[in-house]
């Protein structure tokens, strides 16, 4: 029983730490869960990554978020046109990653674009809380 208690306490501390890190990540994106999820997916695919690289990606995603949200707020119908929205987001992603001097290939750009567009579409369709 003592061994199980120690294992449970260890798991509990890991959960608390994971929740803390997730909350910090969420705060980076103004509590926008879409971008926190996108950030985590990108970092999973780019592993291992350096803290400096992660910071640059985070800055790029924050800029992408700002531009994407601006476009959606100015014209909420933009999300209805899936093809147009995908092309717009791909342009924004490419531009910002170039500005931040983060080298990504076409496949990675497409992957990031799909992640972000899917998050917006899920939110638009009410699939995500």
């Amino acid at each position: 029983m003592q061994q199980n208690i120690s294992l449970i306490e260890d798991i509990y501390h890991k959960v608390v730490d994971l929740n803390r890190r997730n909350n910090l990540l969420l705060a980076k994106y103004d509590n926008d869960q879409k971008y926190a999820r996108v950030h985590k997916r990108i970092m999973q695919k780019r592993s291992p990554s350096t803290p400096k690289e992660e910071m640059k990606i985070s800055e790029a995603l924050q800029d992408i978020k700002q531009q994407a949200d601006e476009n959606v707020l100015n014209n909420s119908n933009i999300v209805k046109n899936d093809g147009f929205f995908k092309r717009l987001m791909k342009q924004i992603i490419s531009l910002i990653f170039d500005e931040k001097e983060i080298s990504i290939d076409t496949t990675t750009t497409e992957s990031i674009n799909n992640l972000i567009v899917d998050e917006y579409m899920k939110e638009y369709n009410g699939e995500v809380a």
Side-chain angles (χ1 to χ4, degrees):
M1 187 117 118
Q2 290 297 332
Q3 183 181 3
N4 287 340
I5 289 173
S6 122
L7 288 173
I8 290 172
E9 285 176 347
D10 190 38
I11 291 170
Y12 172 77
H13 292 297
K14 288 178 182 177
V15 168
V16 168
D17 184 54
L18 178 62
N19 285 337
R20 181 190 60 77
R21 286 186 280 133
N22 285 339
N23 287 334
L24 289 172
L25 181 61
L26 192 57
K28 280 185 183 180
Y29 299 106
D30 298 323
N31 293 320
D32 191 333
Q33 293 178 4
K34 294 186 304 290
Y35 283 90
R37 284 190 292 269
V38 168
H39 177 102
K40 288 178 93 169
R41 298 306 162 260
I42 291 171
M43 298 320 299
Q44 285 173 345
K45 290 180 182 180
R46 291 182 73 97
S47 188
S49 62
T50 65
K52 184 178 180 180
E53 182 182 69
E54 185 171 354
M55 188 173 76
K56 286 175 80 172
I57 290 172
S58 176
E59 290 172 0
L61 285 174
Q62 289 168 354
D63 291 351
I64 291 167
K65 174 188 172 356
Q66 180 184 2
Q67 286 192 27
D69 286 351
E70 219 172 84
N71 278 293
V72 171
L73 285 174
N74 288 336
N75 183 3
S76 61
N77 291 328
I78 200 170
V79 183
K80 290 180 184 177
N81 187 338
D82 191 33
F84 178 78
F85 188 59
K86 280 183 180 180
R87 284 190 306 278
L88 174 66
M89 290 306 301
K90 192 172 184 178
Q91 290 173 350
I92 292 171
I93 292 165
S94 295
L95 177 70
I96 289 176
F97 271 76
D98 282 346
E99 286 176 1
K100 298 290 182 186
E101 298 176 354
I102 302 170
S103 62
I104 55 173
D105 58 19
T106 306
T107 306
T108 305
T109 303
E110 194 66 39
S111 174
I112 293 170
N113 188 43
N114 288 336
L115 287 170
I116 292 173
V117 169
D118 286 349
E119 287 292 338
Y120 274 94
M121 297 308 283
K122 286 177 184 175
E123 182 179 64
Y124 179 76
N125 293 322
E127 296 174 23
V128 177

